[in-house]
Amino acid sequence: MSRTEVLTPSIPLPAYSPELSASPTAPYDLSRWQKAQQDLLKGRGDRALATYRELLIRFPHSEKLWFELGLAAAKELEFDQADHAFQQTTGLSPRDVSLRVLLGQQYHLLRRMDRARECFEQAAAMDPDSVHARLSLADWYEREHRLDDARAAVDACAARHPENAQVRCFQALLWQRAGKLAEAEKQLRELAAIGSLDLNTKYSCRHQLAVVLDEAGQYTEALRWLGEAKQILRQSANIPKLEQSYDLADRRRRQLLADLTPEMIRRWRDEAPGDPALRPAFLGGHPRSGTTLLEQILGAHPDIIAFDEPTAFTQEILEQLAPLENAPTLTANTLNSLGEARRSHFRQRYLKNLGRENRIPAGNGVFLDKNPSHTASLHLWLRIFPGVKVLIALRDPRDVIISCYFQNLTLNATNANFLSLERTVKHYTDLMDVWLRLRDLGGFDWIETRYEDVVNQLETEGQRVTKFLGLEWSPRQADFHKTAREKPVFAPNYNEVARPVYQSAVGRWRHYAEALAPYQEKLAPYYRAFGYE
């Protein structure tokens, strides 16, 4: 099961539609519908939205048109209109379970959490026999830390489908969450022995078994099962193509960074004041370096609005400036010559996108965007947001690499690196080279904070980082885990930050020292650079 948001909807082209085929101009209307879908899939939301509006004037009872209009409205940051369109879809499809689950997923992307939950609950009630609906609801409850409710949903599903592999796999997940590792291990071993599983379940049960064995201290076998899971996952995509796409992007980024100068960075900061009412901060570092923990601590402050891996920067800035590998290469010169009018446009779109969460800070509040993957685009942050404060989370590189290797993520050009330890090490060095280069260039406000210091001296390190943002420490920050249980966490490690600080993850790499041995020489410069020698 993926914990990663999908930004582009997958829409099947309609081969037949009762609503439109009743019209004497049906071929024209179907052609218009298909054109709207293509515009939507290619990111032309404005054109798609106009077409859907025209079609709905003539066919107001088509739930498919309303649903796709909602997708187009969300793409154009018209979130209230998207909400209205999805509600119209609900009213026109009172018994369509699959569509109700799909609506729940879209509300999740809109971060309308109450509506998402309602859709999943309705889907399960509409068809108690639907495995898809029941497990979608259980997955939602588990994400909200409502383990008893998740267990009830899965048990109800298991009573109807006792041999269903997906149901049994989810049962094992809940046993793991409850600390019942022996029960989870037994169930997962039984599933892994079944040869007829679908590819996703075959992968999931092996990956989950590796995680359970790791928690149980059976490290050698955990690594073996993890390797087997990743070999299965390789069958689901063209991995060489994904790696080539990633490597091309990395080469282009390195060239851009090599062409930057300290004078450029200083001029970017001084060139335009931006919006003086905004106090932006970016929290980055490599994934699994403690960024989510730090975001939760800072976000508990009453004057900090912390955004947990929002899509705004990707959709409104990154995809516009460097959208595709075959697009014109973004260079230091083109970035340097980017006019204030366009930079202001990017900022406005970014803030409007963040507005889907209805939490834009007012007055002197700080807004914190936590997204470690965007460390690779830190130069864009510095160019678009003058005066942005940069926080970089550090952690022992060996712990980062092992933790990333164990993650269960949707495959894309970046995450394909985590299918092997060798590529995981490469991804770490690539991303942290971006930070080291920009740190050397200087000309902006930054601070580094180490995961080990946070877990060993929460209040001391928390005060230091909070002060960097121009604020005083709040007692609420020490109880961040209570706040984390009361709000959605979108990062893949959402279940971990709902606990008080724990130290068991420090030095985890030692259990896998033999597997890491071939990469020690390559990692040595980073140990020294970040004080882990």
Side-chain angles (χ1 to χ4, degrees):
M1 294 184 192
S2 169
R3 304 296 185 183
T4 304
E5 293 184 357
V6 179
L7 304 180
T8 304
S10 177
I11 310 171
L13 295 179
Y16 172 76
S17 170
E19 303 98 326
L20 300 192
S21 63
S23 166
T25 58
Y28 169 75
D29 295 323
L30 282 172
S31 175
R32 298 260 300 156
W33 191 354
Q34 292 174 339
K35 181 62 167 61
Q37 291 177 328
Q38 290 301 310
D39 283 337
L40 180 57
L41 288 169
K42 293 178 180 178
R44 298 189 289 260
D46 54 343
R47 291 164 57 174
L49 191 56
T51 304
Y52 284 124
R53 285 169 174 161
E54 292 174 8
L55 287 170
L56 278 163
I57 292 174
R58 302 184 59 206
F59 308 103
H61 301 297
S62 170
E63 71 274 12
K64 295 178 183 178
L65 283 176
W66 278 111
F67 176 72
E68 292 172 19
L69 182 143
L71 297 179
K75 181 68 177 177
E76 289 303 294
L77 310 184
E78 301 294 342
F79 300 121
D80 289 339
Q81 184 173 7
D83 187 11
H84 172 72
F86 291 150
Q87 290 190 61
Q88 291 292 110
T89 305
T90 300
L92 291 167
S93 56
R95 305 304 303 170
D96 191 329
V97 175
S98 295
L99 185 57
R100 197 60 56 95
V101 172
L102 190 57
L103 282 168
Q105 295 168 349
Q106 293 303 317
Y107 274 124
H108 185 200
L109 294 181
L110 286 177
R111 305 205 172 186
R112 305 284 171 95
M113 315 314 282
D114 290 341
R115 291 200 186 280
R117 184 191 311 106
E118 183 180 83
C119 285
F120 293 130
E121 290 174 340
Q122 289 173 348
M126 287 159 55
D127 184 2
D129 202 46
S130 170
V131 172
H132 182 44
R134 289 279 192 181
L135 291 189
S136 294
L137 177 60
D139 182 59
W140 186 264
Y141 284 151
E142 189 269 336
R143 177 176 285 279
E144 291 190 317
H145 314 292
R146 296 168 56 179
L147 295 186
D148 290 342
D149 289 332
R151 169 63 62 192
V154 171
D155 287 348
C157 195
R160 294 170 179 266
H161 308 279
E163 300 303 318
N164 185 283
Q166 288 183 314
V167 176
R168 296 183 66 195
C169 199
F170 208 108
Q171 282 181 317
L173 172 66
L174 294 179
W175 280 328
Q176 176 201 345
R177 293 283 192 262
K180 298 179 179 180
L181 299 183
E183 292 92 331
E185 179 184 344
K186 180 176 182 297
Q187 181 98 306
L188 293 167
R189 287 187 185 278
E190 290 175 359
L191 287 171
I194 300 173
S196 59
L197 297 179
D198 65 271
L199 190 67
N200 183 60
T201 308
K202 188 179 293 187
Y203 159 75
S204 295
C205 69
R206 285 165 172 78
H207 178 273
Q208 202 169 314
L209 178 56
V211 174
V212 168
L213 292 172
D214 173 74
E215 290 187 19
Q218 302 178 52
Y219 305 114
T220 300
E221 192 176 6
L223 205 60
R224 181 177 68 79
W225 280 107
L226 188 59
E228 188 172 318
K230 291 177 183 293
Q231 286 302 315
I232 292 171
L233 190 57
R234 284 180 173 275
Q235 302 172 32
S236 67
N238 186 339
I239 302 305
K241 183 177 180 181
L242 291 176
E243 291 176 346
Q244 289 170 8
S245 177
Y246 169 85
D247 291 343
L248 175 60
D250 178 63
R251 289 194 298 272
R252 289 177 167 177
R253 180 172 54 244
R254 287 180 181 275
Q255 183 60 59
L256 186 156
L257 294 173
D259 292 339
L260 290 178
T261 66
E263 292 73 26
M264 285 182 184
I265 303 295
R266 286 195 295 269
R267 185 173 68 79
W268 292 355
R269 179 171 181 172
D270 299 335
E271 188 174 51
D275 187 343
L278 292 179
R279 297 178 62 192
F282 169 70
L283 171 54
H286 197 280
R288 306 300 296 168
S289 291
T291 54
T292 304
L293 172 62
L294 191 58
E295 177 259 322
Q296 292 294 314
I297 294 170
L298 292 171
H301 194 288
D303 293 327
I304 299 176
I305 306 297
F307 292 90
D308 172 25
E309 305 196 5
T311 60
F313 184 84
T314 295
Q315 293 173 333
E316 309 308 329
I317 298 175
L318 186 57
E319 289 181 355
Q320 304 305 313
L321 287 173
L324 299 170
E325 66 177 43
N326 59 355
T329 304
L330 181 67
T331 67
N333 285 334
T334 56
L335 194 59
N336 196 44
S337 61
L338 197 63
E340 170 56 19
R342 195 169 181 210
R343 298 199 307 273
S344 177
H345 171 74
F346 286 140
R347 287 194 294 271
Q348 291 169 13
R349 290 278 302 184
Y350 169 85
L351 290 171
K352 188 174 182 180
N353 196 317
L354 283 186
R356 71 178 67 195
E357 300 190 37
N358 298 315
R359 297 191 304 125
I360 297 299
N364 293 321
V366 173
F367 77 85
L368 177 76
D369 187 320
K370 184 273 292 184
N371 202 319
S373 296
H374 290 162
T375 305
S377 303
L378 180 55
H379 47 288
L380 298 183
W381 273 97
L382 298 177
R383 186 64 178 122
I384 303 300
F385 294 95
V388 63
K389 288 182 175 290
V390 176
L391 299 85
I392 298 296
L394 301 176
R395 185 183 179 190
D396 189 309
R398 294 158 290 196
D399 280 334
V400 172
I401 289 160
I402 289 299
S403 187
C404 284
Y405 189 53
F406 267 87
Q407 285 296 290
N408 179 18
L409 298 170
T410 300
L411 277 182
N412 56 32
T414 296
N415 294 339
N417 287 295
F418 303 134
L419 291 177
S420 71
L421 274 174
E422 180 180 10
R423 292 287 302 193
T424 303
V425 170
K426 172 177 168 50
H427 184 272
Y428 177 86
T429 58
D430 290 343
L431 192 63
M432 298 316 289
D433 280 348
V434 174
W435 168 237
L436 289 173
R437 171 59 177 163
L438 288 167
R439 189 179 74 172
D440 286 345
L441 288 172
F444 61 98
D445 291 337
W446 60 268
I447 191 173
E448 293 176 339
T449 176
R450 290 163 44 122
Y451 172 78
E452 295 81 2
D453 294 336
V454 174
V455 299
N456 287 319
Q457 304 175 52
L458 169 63
E459 190 162 336
T460 299
E461 188 64 10
Q463 286 177 348
R464 188 176 76 90
V465 176
T466 303
K467 186 176 181 180
F468 170 73
L469 296 178
L471 299 167
E472 295 298 323
W473 174 260
S474 168
R476 291 173 47 180
Q477 293 176 262
D479 294 325
F480 72 93
H481 57 283
K482 297 178 181 177
T483 306
R485 297 191 66 86
E486 298 169 356
K487 67 179 184 179
V489 177
F490 295 92
N493 59 332
Y494 64 94
N495 62 300
E496 298 171 14
V497 298
R499 296 186 283 166
V501 167
Y502 56 94
Q503 300 183 9
S504 58
V506 176
R508 179 189 182 192
W509 69 270
R510 290 185 173 85
H511 304 306
Y512 302 98
E514 184 177 350
L516 286 171
Y519 312 107
Q520 295 288 12
E521 183 176 352
K522 185 171 185 179
L523 291 172
Y526 302 90
Y527 303 151
R528 292 192 293 270
F530 301 132
Y532 287 97
E533 188 174 12

